[in-house]
Amino acid sequence: MAIFDFLIGNMDRHHYEMFTKFGDDGFLIHLDNARGFGRHSQDELSILSPLSQCCRIKKKTLSHLQLLAQGDYRLSDVMRESLLEDELSPVLTEPHLLALDRRLQIILQTVKGCVEAHGEQSVIASDPAGESAPDSGRANPTS
């Protein structure tokens, strides 16, 4: 959740909700994103505190982030293309789209620092059985 909030610049997350209606294997519900995409020029590093302090990230999440940092799948380009058909286009301004790429690099640098300090096995959590990361050269359209 901290990674998502940092990407969108949401400094207003006071809590999160878990959906557990069908058992203990719940999932996060991303509510209250109203402060997202506010100031494109400000990267509030405190939002990344859970990542930088705990130094844990799922392998699949990291793989997706690494893919979105590659030229063919750049996050700003993917978002720009995704939002083209929106009735409210343009939903995000160009500076906001470019901020996504800049913030993504900060996230990847944070993970790199964690790996250097604690080792890859301590930082990158293995994926549960049945979940796989995208191939290095192709995006996984079902993810």
Side-chain angles (χ1 to χ4, degrees), residues 48-87:
L48 274 184
S49 293
L51 177 62
S52 61
Q53 292 173 4
C54 298
C55 281
R56 293 286 288 168
I57 188 169
K58 289 183 180 179
K59 183 178 182 178
K60 184 175 181 180
T61 301
L62 180 58
S63 295
H64 282 122
L65 294 172
Q66 290 169 331
L67 182 65
L68 290 168
Q70 295 179 14
D72 291 343
Y73 301 102
R74 185 169 289 119
L75 180 54
S76 61
D77 294 338
V78 171
M79 286 295 292
R80 190 180 296 107
E81 183 177 338
S82 172
L83 296 170
L84 276 177
E85 300 301 319
D86 194 291
E87 293 178 16

Side-chain angles (χ1 to χ4, degrees), residues 3 25 36-37 39 79 95 108 114 117-118 124 138 140:
I3 291 171
D25 294 330
F37 296 108
R39 298 168 118 187
M79 286 295 292
L108 293 174
C114 286
H118 304 288
I124 302 172
R138 301 187 56 115
N140 184 351

Side-chain angles (χ1 to χ4, degrees), residues 7-131:
L7 284 171
I8 68 169
N10 183 9
M11 298 183 290
D12 192 35
R13 176 91 50 208
H14 301 294
H15 66 281
Y16 63 91
E17 301 291 333
M18 291 287 296
F19 184 82
T20 56
K21 177 90 172 157
F22 302 111
D24 292 335
D25 294 330
F27 54 87
L28 286 173
I29 299 175
H30 295 247
L31 298 175
D32 187 21
N33 300 313
R35 296 269 317 259
F37 296 108
R39 298 168 118 187
H40 60 78
S41 59
Q42 181 179 352
D43 300 332
E44 183 55 54
L45 297 178
S46 66
I47 299 171
L48 274 184
S49 293
L51 177 62
S52 61
Q53 292 173 4
C54 298
C55 281
R56 293 286 288 168
I57 188 169
K58 289 183 180 179
K59 183 178 182 178
K60 184 175 181 180
T61 301
L62 180 58
S63 295
H64 282 122
L65 294 172
Q66 290 169 331
L67 182 65
L68 290 168
Q70 295 179 14
D72 291 343
Y73 301 102
R74 185 169 289 119
L75 180 54
S76 61
D77 294 338
V78 171
M79 286 295 292
R80 190 180 296 107
E81 183 177 338
S82 172
L83 296 170
L84 276 177
E85 300 301 319
D86 194 291
E87 293 178 16
L88 300 176
S89 187
V91 176
L92 295 176
T93 65
E94 192 63 22
H96 283 101
L97 292 168
L98 296 177
L100 290 170
D101 294 329
R102 183 183 66 246
R103 292 172 182 156
L104 176 57
Q105 290 304 314
I106 294 169
I107 292 165
L108 293 174
Q109 286 299 315
T110 301
V111 173
K112 181 180 178 184
C114 286
V115 168
E116 289 171 356
H118 304 288
E120 190 171 315
Q121 287 187 325
S122 294
V123 174
I124 302 172
S126 298
D127 297 314
E131 290 187 25

